[in-house]
Amino acid sequence: YRIGHVVDGDTVTLMNGQRVRLVQIDTPEVYFGTECYGRAASRWTKRLLPAGTRVLLRADPATDRVDRYGRLLRYVVRVSDGLNVNVRLVTVGAAAPYFYDGARGMYARLLDERARRARALKRGLWGACPRTPYDPYAAVATRR
């Protein structure tokens, strides 16, 4: 597949028009009220996935395949270097793990470890929004 454009920090549209929600992570909102670090998280995703980037989409057997909005729920992996974008966004503090409905997918442990490290090092949203609670079973709610 090829990236058409980045919608926000955790959603992309493919060149074929299909929307993809990056599974097992959540980024601060930029629509319906911009949250702390929302625009920065979107910039990270745009930097990692510029238009035209070739990607592989990987479903996670532990999660739904499609969300209630009809978006594919997938790990997005760059073809050029094998980078798992979902994991990278958590590593740099642009996203937090989000185990929706308690579903812990194939990268759950890695995402949790990377998020705890990013938080300890005050990377990304964890430094910009220091009062943000860490709860991988709830959507990230950033607080300054």
Side-chain angles (χ1 to χ4, degrees), residues 45-72:
T45 305
K46 287 175 184 174
R47 198 173 311 135
L48 294 170
L49 296 171
T53 302
R54 291 181 55 217
V55 296
L56 296 172
L57 302 180
R58 291 195 180 138
D60 192 320
T63 68
D64 293 332
R65 296 184 63 79
V66 177
D67 72 7
R68 63 183 173 174
Y69 303 108
R71 299 176 296 187
L72 298 175

mmCIF file of all heavy atoms in Angstrom, residues 45-72:
data_model
loop_
_atom_site.group_PDB
_atom_site.id
_atom_site.type_symbol
_atom_site.label_atom_id
_atom_site.label_comp_id
_atom_site.label_asym_id
_atom_site.label_seq_id
_atom_site.Cartn_x
_atom_site.Cartn_y
_atom_site.Cartn_z
ATOM 1 N N THR A 45 3.874 11.722 12.919
ATOM 2 C CA THR A 45 3.346 10.731 11.982
ATOM 3 C C THR A 45 3.573 11.181 10.544
ATOM 4 O O THR A 45 3.950 10.376 9.689
ATOM 5 C CB THR A 45 1.861 10.460 12.271
ATOM 6 O OG1 THR A 45 1.727 10.075 13.648
ATOM 7 C CG2 THR A 45 1.303 9.358 11.384
ATOM 8 N N LYS A 46 3.406 12.466 10.286
ATOM 9 C CA LYS A 46 3.656 12.992 8.930
ATOM 10 C C LYS A 46 5.126 12.834 8.551
ATOM 11 O O LYS A 46 5.450 12.540 7.396
ATOM 12 C CB LYS A 46 3.236 14.455 8.840
ATOM 13 C CG LYS A 46 1.736 14.630 8.836
ATOM 14 C CD LYS A 46 1.337 16.086 8.876
ATOM 15 C CE LYS A 46 -0.183 16.187 8.960
ATOM 16 N NZ LYS A 46 -0.637 17.561 9.146
ATOM 17 N N ARG A 47 6.013 13.009 9.501
ATOM 18 C CA ARG A 47 7.442 12.865 9.249
ATOM 19 C C ARG A 47 7.789 11.401 8.944
ATOM 20 O O ARG A 47 8.599 11.106 8.070
ATOM 21 C CB ARG A 47 8.219 13.343 10.476
ATOM 22 C CG ARG A 47 9.676 13.666 10.228
ATOM 23 C CD ARG A 47 10.352 14.297 11.444
ATOM 24 N NE ARG A 47 9.591 15.403 12.000
ATOM 25 C CZ ARG A 47 9.361 15.586 13.311
ATOM 26 N NH1 ARG A 47 9.852 14.757 14.205
ATOM 27 N NH2 ARG A 47 8.653 16.609 13.720
ATOM 28 N N LEU A 48 7.157 10.479 9.667
ATOM 29 C CA LEU A 48 7.433 9.058 9.476
ATOM 30 C C LEU A 48 6.749 8.480 8.239
ATOM 31 O O LEU A 48 7.240 7.511 7.655
ATOM 32 C CB LEU A 48 6.986 8.263 10.714
ATOM 33 C CG LEU A 48 7.752 8.543 12.003
ATOM 34 C CD1 LEU A 48 7.060 7.872 13.184
ATOM 35 C CD2 LEU A 48 9.189 8.077 11.882
ATOM 36 N N LEU A 49 5.620 9.079 7.850
ATOM 37 C CA LEU A 49 4.827 8.541 6.743
ATOM 38 C C LEU A 49 4.427 9.626 5.741
ATOM 39 O O LEU A 49 3.244 9.940 5.583
ATOM 40 C CB LEU A 49 3.561 7.865 7.288
ATOM 41 C CG LEU A 49 3.760 6.637 8.169
ATOM 42 C CD1 LEU A 49 2.449 6.210 8.800
ATOM 43 C CD2 LEU A 49 4.389 5.495 7.363
ATOM 44 N N PRO A 50 5.386 10.220 5.059
ATOM 45 C CA PRO A 50 5.015 11.216 4.050
ATOM 46 C C PRO A 50 4.198 10.574 2.925
ATOM 47 O O PRO A 50 4.267 9.356 2.712
ATOM 48 C CB PRO A 50 6.353 11.745 3.534
ATOM 49 C CG PRO A 50 7.388 10.779 3.984
ATOM 50 C CD PRO A 50 6.836 10.014 5.141
ATOM 51 N N ALA A 51 3.421 11.386 2.240
ATOM 52 C CA ALA A 51 2.602 10.894 1.125
ATOM 53 C C ALA A 51 3.465 10.078 0.168
ATOM 54 O O ALA A 51 4.595 10.454 -0.144
ATOM 55 C CB ALA A 51 1.955 12.057 0.396
ATOM 56 N N GLY A 52 2.927 8.956 -0.266
ATOM 57 C CA GLY A 52 3.632 8.087 -1.201
ATOM 58 C C GLY A 52 4.452 6.987 -0.553
ATOM 59 O O GLY A 52 4.905 6.069 -1.240
ATOM 60 N N THR A 53 4.651 7.048 0.762
ATOM 61 C CA THR A 53 5.436 6.028 1.453
ATOM 62 C C THR A 53 4.797 4.652 1.262
ATOM 63 O O THR A 53 3.597 4.487 1.471
ATOM 64 C CB THR A 53 5.540 6.331 2.965
ATOM 65 O OG1 THR A 53 6.132 7.614 3.149
ATOM 66 C CG2 THR A 53 6.353 5.277 3.701
ATOM 67 N N ARG A 54 5.599 3.673 0.878
ATOM 68 C CA ARG A 54 5.119 2.299 0.752
ATOM 69 C C ARG A 54 5.089 1.653 2.135
ATOM 70 O O ARG A 54 6.066 1.743 2.880
ATOM 71 C CB ARG A 54 6.018 1.503 -0.191
ATOM 72 C CG ARG A 54 5.888 1.970 -1.637
ATOM 73 C CD ARG A 54 6.749 1.179 -2.601
ATOM 74 N NE ARG A 54 6.463 -0.240 -2.481
ATOM 75 C CZ ARG A 54 7.387 -1.199 -2.588
ATOM 76 N NH1 ARG A 54 8.647 -0.904 -2.822
ATOM 77 N NH2 ARG A 54 7.061 -2.465 -2.468
ATOM 78 N N VAL A 55 3.959 1.014 2.458
ATOM 79 C CA VAL A 55 3.782 0.402 3.768
ATOM 80 C C VAL A 55 3.159 -0.986 3.661
ATOM 81 O O VAL A 55 2.462 -1.297 2.699
ATOM 82 C CB VAL A 55 2.893 1.271 4.695
ATOM 83 C CG1 VAL A 55 3.546 2.608 4.995
ATOM 84 C CG2 VAL A 55 1.497 1.463 4.126
ATOM 85 N N LEU A 56 3.447 -1.784 4.660
ATOM 86 C CA LEU A 56 2.755 -3.047 4.884
ATOM 87 C C LEU A 56 1.773 -2.808 6.016
ATOM 88 O O LEU A 56 2.078 -2.067 6.965
ATOM 89 C CB LEU A 56 3.733 -4.144 5.304
ATOM 90 C CG LEU A 56 4.795 -4.557 4.308
ATOM 91 C CD1 LEU A 56 5.790 -5.510 4.963
ATOM 92 C CD2 LEU A 56 4.160 -5.199 3.092
ATOM 93 N N LEU A 57 0.624 -3.427 5.952
ATOM 94 C CA LEU A 57 -0.367 -3.328 7.020
ATOM 95 C C LEU A 57 -0.490 -4.688 7.677
ATOM 96 O O LEU A 57 -0.703 -5.695 6.991
ATOM 97 C CB LEU A 57 -1.716 -2.898 6.455
ATOM 98 C CG LEU A 57 -1.752 -1.573 5.713
ATOM 99 C CD1 LEU A 57 -3.161 -1.300 5.207
ATOM 100 C CD2 LEU A 57 -1.271 -0.431 6.593
ATOM 101 N N ARG A 58 -0.330 -4.717 9.007
ATOM 102 C CA ARG A 58 -0.405 -5.977 9.741
ATOM 103 C C ARG A 58 -1.560 -5.923 10.739
ATOM 104 O O ARG A 58 -1.585 -5.067 11.617
ATOM 105 C CB ARG A 58 0.899 -6.231 10.495
ATOM 106 C CG ARG A 58 2.047 -6.517 9.559
ATOM 107 C CD ARG A 58 3.226 -7.104 10.287
ATOM 108 N NE ARG A 58 4.296 -7.346 9.333
ATOM 109 C CZ ARG A 58 5.563 -7.091 9.569
ATOM 110 N NH1 ARG A 58 5.945 -6.629 10.730
ATOM 111 N NH2 ARG A 58 6.467 -7.333 8.642
ATOM 112 N N ALA A 59 -2.459 -6.871 10.594
ATOM 113 C CA ALA A 59 -3.557 -7.003 11.554
ATOM 114 C C ALA A 59 -3.025 -7.689 12.809
ATOM 115 O O ALA A 59 -2.009 -8.391 12.767
ATOM 116 C CB ALA A 59 -4.686 -7.825 10.934
ATOM 117 N N ASP A 60 -3.712 -7.487 13.916
ATOM 118 C CA ASP A 60 -3.352 -8.144 15.162
ATOM 119 C C ASP A 60 -4.483 -9.108 15.518
ATOM 120 O O ASP A 60 -5.623 -8.674 15.660
ATOM 121 C CB ASP A 60 -3.163 -7.112 16.279
ATOM 122 C CG ASP A 60 -2.510 -7.693 17.513
ATOM 123 O OD1 ASP A 60 -2.857 -8.836 17.886
ATOM 124 O OD2 ASP A 60 -1.655 -7.019 18.098
ATOM 125 N N PRO A 61 -4.193 -10.410 15.643
ATOM 126 C CA PRO A 61 -5.255 -11.379 15.936
ATOM 127 C C PRO A 61 -6.012 -11.105 17.232
ATOM 128 O O PRO A 61 -7.150 -11.548 17.384
ATOM 129 C CB PRO A 61 -4.522 -12.723 16.019
ATOM 130 C CG PRO A 61 -3.154 -12.502 15.501
ATOM 131 C CD PRO A 61 -2.883 -11.039 15.508
ATOM 132 N N ALA A 62 -5.408 -10.360 18.160
ATOM 133 C CA ALA A 62 -6.045 -10.091 19.447
ATOM 134 C C ALA A 62 -7.046 -8.934 19.389
ATOM 135 O O ALA A 62 -7.769 -8.701 20.349
ATOM 136 C CB ALA A 62 -4.981 -9.791 20.501
ATOM 137 N N THR A 63 -7.070 -8.198 18.277
ATOM 138 C CA THR A 63 -7.932 -7.020 18.193
ATOM 139 C C THR A 63 -8.928 -7.157 17.043
ATOM 140 O O THR A 63 -8.812 -8.032 16.187
ATOM 141 C CB THR A 63 -7.100 -5.738 17.954
ATOM 142 O OG1 THR A 63 -6.523 -5.780 16.641
ATOM 143 C CG2 THR A 63 -6.014 -5.579 19.003
ATOM 144 N N ASP A 64 -9.901 -6.265 17.032
ATOM 145 C CA ASP A 64 -10.833 -6.207 15.911
ATOM 146 C C ASP A 64 -10.061 -5.839 14.648
ATOM 147 O O ASP A 64 -9.014 -5.199 14.708
ATOM 148 C CB ASP A 64 -11.912 -5.149 16.161
ATOM 149 C CG ASP A 64 -12.841 -5.513 17.314
ATOM 150 O OD1 ASP A 64 -13.023 -6.715 17.575
ATOM 151 O OD2 ASP A 64 -13.390 -4.576 17.934
ATOM 152 N N ARG A 65 -10.584 -6.202 13.509
ATOM 153 C CA ARG A 65 -9.940 -5.887 12.231
ATOM 154 C C ARG A 65 -10.336 -4.508 11.731
ATOM 155 O O ARG A 65 -9.593 -3.869 10.997
ATOM 156 C CB ARG A 65 -10.265 -6.949 11.196
ATOM 157 C CG ARG A 65 -9.686 -8.320 11.601
ATOM 158 C CD ARG A 65 -9.892 -9.397 10.591
ATOM 159 N NE ARG A 65 -9.240 -9.163 9.318
ATOM 160 C CZ ARG A 65 -7.949 -9.354 9.071
ATOM 161 N NH1 ARG A 65 -7.157 -9.770 10.042
ATOM 162 N NH2 ARG A 65 -7.451 -9.148 7.873
ATOM 163 N N VAL A 66 -11.540 -4.051 12.129
ATOM 164 C CA VAL A 66 -12.073 -2.761 11.691
ATOM 165 C C VAL A 66 -12.732 -2.101 12.900
ATOM 166 O O VAL A 66 -13.336 -2.784 13.731
ATOM 167 C CB VAL A 66 -13.126 -2.973 10.567
ATOM 168 C CG1 VAL A 66 -13.749 -1.663 10.131
ATOM 169 C CG2 VAL A 66 -12.508 -3.684 9.377
ATOM 170 N N ASP A 67 -12.610 -0.764 13.012
ATOM 171 C CA ASP A 67 -13.260 -0.084 14.130
ATOM 172 C C ASP A 67 -14.678 0.357 13.741
ATOM 173 O O ASP A 67 -15.128 0.136 12.616
ATOM 174 C CB ASP A 67 -12.397 1.079 14.648
ATOM 175 C CG ASP A 67 -12.330 2.281 13.729
ATOM 176 O OD1 ASP A 67 -13.044 2.336 12.703
ATOM 177 O OD2 ASP A 67 -11.552 3.208 14.041
ATOM 178 N N ARG A 68 -15.371 0.981 14.681
ATOM 179 C CA ARG A 68 -16.776 1.367 14.449
ATOM 180 C C ARG A 68 -16.935 2.426 13.369
ATOM 181 O O ARG A 68 -18.043 2.675 12.910
ATOM 182 C CB ARG A 68 -17.406 1.829 15.757
ATOM 183 C CG ARG A 68 -16.759 3.056 16.343
ATOM 184 C CD ARG A 68 -17.368 3.411 17.660
ATOM 185 N NE ARG A 68 -16.607 4.493 18.264
ATOM 186 C CZ ARG A 68 -16.949 5.092 19.364
ATOM 187 N NH1 ARG A 68 -18.041 4.734 20.005
ATOM 188 N NH2 ARG A 68 -16.207 6.059 19.851
ATOM 189 N N TYR A 69 -15.840 3.065 12.963
ATOM 190 C CA TYR A 69 -15.886 4.071 11.898
ATOM 191 C C TYR A 69 -15.492 3.486 10.539
ATOM 192 O O TYR A 69 -15.348 4.219 9.569
ATOM 193 C CB TYR A 69 -14.956 5.251 12.234
ATOM 194 C CG TYR A 69 -15.288 5.884 13.561
ATOM 195 C CD1 TYR A 69 -14.448 5.711 14.653
ATOM 196 C CD2 TYR A 69 -16.450 6.637 13.726
ATOM 197 C CE1 TYR A 69 -14.747 6.280 15.882
ATOM 198 C CE2 TYR A 69 -16.766 7.205 14.953
ATOM 199 C CZ TYR A 69 -15.914 7.014 16.019
ATOM 200 O OH TYR A 69 -16.208 7.577 17.241
ATOM 201 N N GLY A 70 -15.266 2.183 10.483
ATOM 202 C CA GLY A 70 -14.904 1.534 9.235
ATOM 203 C C GLY A 70 -13.429 1.608 8.888
ATOM 204 O O GLY A 70 -13.020 1.214 7.790
ATOM 205 N N ARG A 71 -12.610 2.095 9.823
ATOM 206 C CA ARG A 71 -11.163 2.164 9.582
ATOM 207 C C ARG A 71 -10.531 0.807 9.856
ATOM 208 O O ARG A 71 -10.907 0.128 10.812
ATOM 209 C CB ARG A 71 -10.514 3.210 10.487
ATOM 210 C CG ARG A 71 -11.042 4.612 10.274
ATOM 211 C CD ARG A 71 -10.447 5.590 11.258
ATOM 212 N NE ARG A 71 -10.832 5.267 12.636
ATOM 213 C CZ ARG A 71 -10.560 6.027 13.693
ATOM 214 N NH1 ARG A 71 -9.891 7.161 13.549
ATOM 215 N NH2 ARG A 71 -10.938 5.661 14.897
ATOM 216 N N LEU A 72 -9.565 0.428 9.011
ATOM 217 C CA LEU A 72 -8.787 -0.775 9.283
ATOM 218 C C LEU A 72 -7.963 -0.540 10.539
ATOM 219 O O LEU A 72 -7.400 0.544 10.718
ATOM 220 C CB LEU A 72 -7.838 -1.077 8.123
ATOM 221 C CG LEU A 72 -8.462 -1.376 6.762
ATOM 222 C CD1 LEU A 72 -7.363 -1.528 5.716
ATOM 223 C CD2 LEU A 72 -9.339 -2.610 6.823
#
